[in-house]
């Protein structure tokens, strides 16, 4: 049985990550697993480390970088399908069965698209909110969130305070605005196609015009 979830669909900064967790019997998963958003960061990290150290649990991770997210020839639903399929392909065997957290209004369409992205026969069920109702998907949610948090920490090591990376975060918006004002362009970790990035560029251009 495998479960899949992703983290980082909505941020204006950084990559999106999908994780697949495979276990023969879900009863073998540690107690206390739930939707990653309900767990403290330290708890998530402890679970993720435990998964990787347990020989009965397999973990696959796929990363979708900003360069792919900004590609005008694709969209976030397609990239999420791609990420789920890549993560599954790393660890799930032929004819395996699993549940993925649906990122499409149609659960059946999302399941079909992910299935089509895998080169061998596999049985996939997609459900909205699967990370809250299926422990195996909750485990995948934890791994994906830890990967995303690690990624953001690396961005902070490079750039200083960047916030959570979400458009609603004032720290993230301030980072983008200050970076553009200092460098005249967006940082390479920014999703240029996101409105928040466009707003930061526009604000800088307007400020330059005002000064002129």
């Amino acid at each position: 049985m495998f479960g899949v979830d992703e983290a980082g669909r909505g941020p204006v900064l950084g990559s999106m990550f999908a994780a697949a967790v495979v276990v023969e019997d879900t009863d073998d998963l540690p107690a206390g697993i739930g939707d990653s958003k309900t767990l403290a960061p330290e708890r998530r990290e402890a679970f993720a480390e435990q998964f990787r150290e347990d020989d009965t649990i397999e973990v696959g991770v796929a990363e979708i970088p900003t360069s792919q997210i900004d590609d005008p020839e694709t969209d976030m639903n397609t990239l999420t399908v791609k990420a789920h399929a890549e993560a599954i392909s790393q660890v799930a065997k032929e004819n395996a069965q699993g549940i993925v957290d649906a990122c499409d209004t149609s659960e059946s369409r999302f399941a079909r698209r992910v299935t089509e992205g895998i080169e061998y026969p596999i049985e996939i069920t997609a459900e909205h909110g699967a990370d809250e109702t299926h422990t195996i998907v909750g485990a995948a949610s934890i791994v994906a969130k830890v990967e995303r948090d690690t990624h953001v920490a690396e961005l902070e090591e490079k750039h200083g305070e960047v916030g959570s990376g979400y458009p609603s975060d004032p720290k993230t918006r301030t980072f983008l605005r200050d970076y553009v004002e200092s460098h005249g362009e967006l940082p390479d970790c920014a999703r240029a196609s996101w409105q928040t990035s466009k707003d930061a560029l526009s604000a800088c251009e307007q400020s330059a015009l005002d000064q002129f």
Side-chain angles (χ1 to χ4, degrees):
M1 169 66 73
F2 62 84
V4 189
D5 200 4
E6 82 293 320
R9 271 173 61 93
V12 65
L13 299 181
S15 302
M16 175 177 68
F17 294 84
V21 171
V22 179
V23 65
E24 186 171 339
D25 186 344
T26 56
D27 289 338
D28 292 337
L29 289 169
I33 293 174
D35 176 8
S36 64
K37 295 185 289 296
T38 67
L39 300 174
E42 297 79 10
R43 187 68 169 147
R44 290 196 297 262
E45 291 169 9
F47 271 132
E49 183 176 359
Q50 187 174 355
F51 298 158
R52 293 185 183 279
E53 291 178 349
D54 191 328
D55 292 339
T56 67
I57 300 174
E58 294 185 78
V59 175
V61 175
E63 178 179 2
I64 304 295
T66 55
S67 58
Q68 292 185 36
I69 293 171
D70 285 331
D71 184 348
E73 298 300 317
T74 190
D75 57 71
M76 285 306 297
N77 275 0
T78 298
L79 290 174
T80 304
V81 166
K82 178 176 184 288
H84 278 227
E86 287 184 4
I88 292 169
S89 297
Q90 291 176 24
V91 289
K93 298 179 181 179
E94 185 173 326
N95 296 317
Q97 297 180 338
I99 303 168
V100 303
D101 192 51
C103 295
D104 189 328
T105 54
S106 170
E107 296 170 327
S108 59
R109 178 171 58 198
F110 189 78
R112 174 180 53 77
R113 294 183 70 192
V114 175
T115 302
E116 290 172 350
I118 299 172
E119 296 180 352
Y120 47 86
I122 202 160
E123 185 176 330
I124 294 174
T125 300
E127 295 182 15
H128 295 130
D131 53 344
E132 300 174 359
T133 55
H134 297 278
T135 304
I136 190 69
V137 183
S141 172
I142 288 169
V143 174
K145 188 67 169 68
V146 169
E147 291 290 331
R148 168 69 190 176
D149 288 347
T150 300
H151 179 58
V152 173
E154 291 170 350
L155 295 182
E156 290 204 331
E157 287 182 7
K158 180 178 180 179
H159 296 291
E161 179 65 72
V162 301
S164 65
Y166 281 86
S168 60
D169 188 336
K171 292 181 180 179
T172 296
R173 298 178 75 90
T174 296
F175 161 68
L176 277 175
R177 184 182 65 247
D178 291 348
Y179 189 97
V180 172
E181 288 179 355
S182 298
H183 299 83
E185 61 182 4
L186 292 166
D188 57 8
C189 62
R191 301 178 183 181
S193 54
W194 257 232
Q195 188 60 47
T196 310
S197 292
K198 295 176 182 178
D199 289 345
L201 288 172
S202 296
C204 182
E205 291 172 359
Q206 186 59 51
S207 177
L209 287 173
D210 291 344
Q211 292 176 11
F212 180 79

